[in-house]
């Protein structure tokens, strides 16, 4: 690879959120395990949850670093385990607000996060 390609790949890797930008300052991140892992059928439920939460935390950290205004995390409906864990973590921050994302756009399985 050229040096430019290497640098660009590193920058994208360093800022995973870039690939999810939908508008300036806004991103939509799909946390479905199929979007995060090549062989999700090989994972236990605990492993799936850990991968999803790790990716969520990475995206939140990048959002702060990049002064994002809004991120929608698409977590799906399921039994609500991931949604609950995400919202419990968001409760630890005093500089974010979150709401259920509009069902007309995302269905029932998404959380919209605003950065103050």
């Amino acid at each position: 690879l050229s040096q430019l390609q290497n640098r660009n790949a590193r920058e994208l890797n360093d800022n995973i959120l870039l690939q999810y930008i939908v508008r300036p300052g806004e991103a939509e991140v799909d946390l479905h395990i199929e979007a995060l892992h090549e062989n999700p059928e090989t994972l236990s439920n605990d492993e799936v949850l850990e991968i999803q939460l790790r990716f969520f935390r990475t995206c939140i950290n990048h959002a702060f670093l990049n002064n994002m205004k809004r991120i929608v995390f698409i977590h799906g409906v399921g039994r609500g385990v991931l949604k609950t864990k995400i919202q419990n973590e968001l409760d630890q921050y005093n500089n974010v607000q979150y709401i259920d994302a509009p069902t007309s756009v995302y269905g029932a399985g998404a959380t919209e996060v605003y950065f103050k």
Side-chain angles (χ1 to χ4, degrees):
L1 289 175
S2 73
Q3 285 182 315
L4 179 62
Q5 283 174 309
N6 274 331
R7 194 175 74 239
N8 288 346
R10 257 197 320 279
E11 286 173 7
L12 183 60
N13 196 38
D14 289 344
N15 185 358
I16 206 87
L17 216 46
L18 287 178
Q19 60 189 308
Y20 297 101
I21 301 290
V22 290
R23 281 176 286 292
E26 299 187 16
E28 293 175 359
V29 177
D30 187 353
L31 293 176
H32 286 90
I33 193 61
E34 297 79 13
L36 303 177
H37 195 278
E38 285 185 18
N39 301 306
E41 66 282 351
T42 64
L43 303 171
S44 71
N45 288 344
D46 288 343
E47 289 170 323
V48 167
L49 187 60
E50 185 53 42
I51 290 168
Q52 291 170 315
L53 286 172
R54 196 175 322 128
F55 196 71
F56 161 75
R57 291 177 190 124
T58 299
C59 290
I60 281 288
N61 289 335
H62 288 173
F64 285 120
L65 290 173
N66 292 285
N67 299 313
M68 297 292 287
K69 294 187 225 99
R70 172 183 166 267
I71 299 182
V72 176
F73 288 100
I74 302 165
H75 44 68
V77 180
R79 293 182 319 238
V81 175
L82 181 59
K83 176 182 180 178
T84 300
K85 291 215 179 260
I86 285 172
Q87 292 184 349
N88 287 344
E89 289 203 20
L90 290 170
D91 287 338
Q92 308 303 308
Y93 295 99
N94 56 11
N95 49 352
V96 301
Q97 280 181 286
Y98 64 88
I99 59 172
D100 288 338
T103 54
S104 59
V105 181
Y106 299 100
T111 298
E112 195 165 2
V113 180
Y114 291 92
F115 298 84
K116 300 176 190 170

